[in-house]
Amino acid sequence: MSMRTKRSVRAGQYLALLCYLVFLAFPFLWLISTAFKPAPELGSLHPTWIPQHPTLDNFRQAFDEQPLLRAAANSLIAALSAGAIAVVIATPMAYVMARHRTRLATAATGWVVVSQAFPFVLLIIPLFLVLKHLHLINTLWGLIMVYVVWALPFALWMLVGYVRAVPPELEEAAAVDGAGRLRTLVSVTAPLLAPGIVATALFAFITAWNEFFFALVLLKTPEKQTLPVVLTHFLGAEGASDLGPLAAAAFLATLPSLVLFAVIQRRITGGMLAGAVKS
Amino acid sequence: MALASATVRSGRDGPPRGRGTGRSARPGRGPGTWFLVLPALIPILVLSVGPLLYGIALAFTDSQSGRTRSTQWVGALNFQDLLHDGLFWESFRIGLVWAVGVSVPQFVLALGLALLLNENLRMRWLARALAIIPWAMPEVVVGIMWRLVYNPDAGILNETIRDLGLGDGRDWLTGLATALPAVILVGVWAGMPQTTVALLAGLQNTPQELHEAAALDGAGAWRRFRTVTWPALRPVALSITALNFIWNFNSFALVYVLTNGGPGGRTRLPMLFAYEEAFRYGQFGYAAAMGCVMVAVISVILAVYLAGRLRGGEDR
């Protein structure tokens, strides 16, 4: 390869990468731009990338029009509970799955894979009927229960990877020193797993925070609804004047997901997905 | 039991190692195992396995919402009705077009990006950072965001078209011809990062010495890709494409927000159809039957994928 072709290949690569960067970023930049534009600019036939007179009016209006704070609180309760409960119940099972190839673990793993492939509609109708019997429709608890189970597959996958990274020799050493089983788990294994457990909980949190379909079906009244569901109420009549508040609310709703995801991204992408895809 | 397979894991989580050997005093064996497994197993059984079986059973009943008389078994009646339900098959066709139309370009674009990120380019970190956006965003927000992009007057897409002097643009999401392509583009955008990351992980698992050997043999970039990169990537590529297809076929929120199935049902994906049937018209049995048909189709696709994977031989 001559120097020249090498250089032109490099240039081509940078050009391609630039196209990707633009493609990935431009809708989000447009959302931010729209969120800070005053109404007259939104109504103009020649929108600009940069708001000429940036304003916070859209944010104020968004909070006036819809119960956003209430919705954010609901989302937060649901996501925090789902994340916490999911790791508390998934960690012991992941431990067993990682350490022993029992038939149970194999069956559970198989189920985890299969259940992801089912259309949610087949799951939501019976769940709806069951939750109705339990008087859990239109309650956050009903939704949280669904979210926990919904988060389990990926949580188990992540946690199994983290458990396998803890050398069993450490546990064996503790056992030889006379520590009981529970004590070994609590004092040797758990501390080593802690970062992985936190990452998994955060992932479950993001999943629940973003989720729409179950929340749409299970929550009936505005004071119980989560943020994504309330966001769709802005979509009623989409006059130009409503674009601003819509963009502002959407921008706020996505911030927690982006920040938390940036925090745990390395842990998710660092071989986790490869393992999931390979297994 | 513990020796069933001696897998050596690669990756950054600790040194490669075989499984522990012998009957050691490792915790987590014996009856206490149940104590560890039950907290997760019970919810899975009660809220996942149970409801799914219940859902399949519902497909054979005339279950409806808010009816006073009890639900009856009706055998395969729902499925017979479905056979003659032109609207359902139309939505099914749209679902397949959508799933293929999203999964294939998604894979091609993701592969391109993964190959780029595998090179030593200066702006790699930026691409990695930006890739978080579509991945981490709530689907509802992705839908809202693209509605702003597609907005006929205040949207950036038509403004760009006007700036380039290519006419006035159009109302993309309500045009009969443009609605489905427009939502497909959003689907591609939303799913690309996950696919990229999976492929990148696959690329980084390709033995470097193979590349070097091929380069020494004087193989060009294309031949290196065909003989070294692609064979190593094939299992991951197959898995991720199958998963993407299923995922897209079952998708709901994105299109619900973008078009709610309109205009004139042109973007009514099967899930939107079943959702309306169940929760707008209260036809639980009928909607469950739709779900069963969707599962059947997905199973066929999975079977094809597994067959392809088995033919692929050594799975690394």
Side-chain angles (χ1 to χ4, degrees):
Chain A
M1 231 194 219
S2 72
M3 206 55 217
R4 178 177 280 178
T5 45
K6 248 207 171 98
R7 214 178 286 157
S8 67
V9 165
R10 261 285 180 260
Q13 284 175 337
Y14 272 111
L15 188 66
L17 189 63
L18 189 67
C19 291
Y20 274 111
L21 294 179
V22 170
F23 180 58
L24 283 171
F26 91 90
F28 190 49
L29 294 175
W30 188 245
L31 174 79
I32 298 171
S33 163
T34 310
F36 289 99
K37 271 181 192 167
E41 275 183 54
L42 288 169
S44 92
L45 252 176
H46 288 284
T48 50
W49 270 106
I50 312 287
Q52 308 297 305
H53 310 282
T55 169
L56 291 174
D57 283 352
N58 293 325
F59 291 89
R60 261 192 297 274
Q61 211 180 321
F63 279 92
D64 287 342
E65 278 177 30
Q66 298 288 345
L68 284 182
L69 275 179
R70 178 76 254 185
N74 290 341
S75 274
L76 194 67
I77 293 165
L80 275 177
S81 315
I85 297 169
V87 292
V88 165
I89 66 177
T91 305
M93 181 156 177
Y95 180 82
V96 172
M97 283 164 73
R99 287 285 185 259
H100 315 290
R101 300 184 65 87
T102 56
R103 245 169 309 176
L104 180 74
T106 317
T109 319
W111 180 255
V112 157
V113 177
V114 168
S115 67
Q116 289 301 284
F118 278 99
F120 291 147
V121 73
L122 205 57
L123 197 64
I124 192 74
I125 297 169
L127 271 177
F128 180 84
L129 293 172
V130 169
L131 290 173
K132 209 168 144 180
H133 271 291
L134 300 170
H135 300 291
L136 286 172
I137 294 290
N138 204 24
T139 66
L140 280 179
W141 275 112
L143 189 70
I144 289 165
M145 279 162 60
V146 175
Y147 281 176
V148 166
V149 173
W150 196 57
L152 278 180
F154 203 77
L156 283 170
W157 243 330
M158 283 175 83
L159 288 165
V160 165
Y162 296 130
V163 174
R164 284 202 179 133
V166 176
E169 291 74 20
L170 287 177
E171 292 169 7
E172 281 153 24
V176 169
D177 289 348
R181 227 167 100 178
L182 200 59
R183 190 138 163 242
T184 306
L185 285 181
V186 171
S187 59
V188 177
T189 320
L192 290 168
L193 280 183
I197 291 175
V198 171
T200 309
L202 284 177
F203 191 84
F205 178 98
I206 295 170
T207 311
W209 177 272
N210 290 355
E211 204 282 331
F212 175 66
F213 182 61
F214 292 128
L216 176 73
V217 171
L218 298 176
L219 305 171
K220 299 288 175 208
T221 54
E223 67 270 12
K224 286 279 196 288
Q225 283 169 341
T226 54
L227 214 40
V229 180
V230 171
L231 280 179
T232 59
H233 297 332
F234 280 100
L235 293 171
E238 208 184 313
S241 58
D242 270 355
L243 289 181
L246 172 69
F251 174 67
L252 287 180
T254 204
L255 281 184
S257 311
L258 289 180
V259 171
L260 290 178
F261 203 90
V263 170
I264 59 169
Q265 186 215 14
R266 285 231 166 275
R267 290 197 153 270
I268 293 180
T269 55
M272 228 2 268
L273 257 178
V277 171
K278 262 190 287 182
S279 63
Chain B
M1 193 161 93
L3 297 172
S5 86
T7 48
V8 176
R9 291 173 47 81
S10 58
R12 295 179 316 172
D13 47 3
R17 48 172 197 83
R19 287 191 167 272
T21 49
R23 299 213 161 278
S24 52
R26 195 182 305 163
R29 211 172 260 179
T33 308
W34 284 103
F35 169 76
L36 294 174
V37 170
L38 282 180
L41 201 60
I42 290 168
I44 288 178
L45 287 173
V46 173
L47 289 170
S48 177
V49 181
L52 265 171
L53 297 174
Y54 184 14
I56 293 168
L58 277 172
F60 297 90
T61 69
D62 62 356
S63 171
Q64 291 179 358
S65 75
R67 201 178 45 186
T68 43
R69 75 174 178 78
S70 63
T71 299
Q72 308 279 325
W73 288 99
V74 294
L77 192 63
N78 286 324
F79 293 94
Q80 282 169 13
D81 289 348
L82 265 183
L83 270 180
H84 303 294
D85 188 340
L87 282 175
F88 173 68
W89 292 110
E90 178 57 16
S91 95
F92 215 80
R93 190 189 64 80
I94 291 166
L96 289 175
V97 170
W98 152 269
V100 173
V102 173
S103 305
V104 173
Q106 206 172 68
F107 176 78
V108 173
L109 284 175
L111 181 61
L113 184 56
L115 289 169
L116 278 176
L117 293 180
N118 211 26
E119 297 284 326
N120 218 340
L121 300 176
R122 249 176 241 140
M123 291 186 297
R124 268 200 314 192
W125 64 271
L126 187 59
R128 279 176 173 274
L130 289 180
I132 292 180
I133 297 171
W135 193 348
M137 254 190 190
E139 278 186 293
V140 169
V141 174
V142 173
I144 288 171
M145 198 167 69
W146 279 85
R147 272 177 83 140
L148 299 173
V149 169
Y150 282 134
N151 187 285
D153 300 327
I156 191 65
L157 184 59
N158 279 355
E159 177 59 18
T160 308
I161 289 172
R162 287 191 290 263
D163 283 348
L164 296 172
L166 298 172
D168 289 339
R170 33 168 89 202
D171 194 347
W172 302 94
L173 290 173
T174 58
L176 286 177
T178 54
L180 189 55
V183 295
I184 283 176
L185 177 63
V186 182
V188 171
W189 183 89
M192 199 177 75
Q194 276 114 309
T195 314
T196 304
V197 168
L199 290 173
L200 197 56
L203 282 174
Q204 282 160 356
N205 277 335
T206 348
Q208 200 51 45
E209 51 271 19
L210 276 180
H211 273 289
E212 283 154 18
L216 281 178
D217 284 349
W222 170 241
R223 248 195 72 201
R224 276 209 304 267
F225 176 80
R226 239 192 37 221
T227 55
V228 178
T229 312
W230 181 244
L233 213 51
R234 201 167 164 271
V236 178
L238 260 176
S239 304
I240 197 79
T241 310
L243 287 173
N244 275 342
F245 185 93
I246 291 166
W247 183 248
N248 288 320
F249 189 71
N250 290 337
S251 67
F252 175 85
L254 208 54
V255 177
Y256 177 89
V257 172
L258 281 167
T259 58
N260 198 6
R266 294 293 162 101
T267 58
R268 195 191 285 138
L269 302 182
M271 270 289 283
L272 269 81
F273 196 100
Y275 165 78
E276 286 190 359
E277 207 58 48
F279 296 102
R280 179 171 300 176
Y281 307 116
Q283 300 290 346
F284 288 154
Y286 197 54
M290 285 181 191
C292 287
V293 173
M294 289 171 74
V295 170
V297 168
I298 289 165
S299 307
V300 169
I301 289 157
L302 267 181
V304 169
Y305 147 73
L306 283 172
R309 197 157 164 171
L310 291 174
R311 267 192 308 115
E314 252 312 271
D315 178 16
R316 257 252 348 101

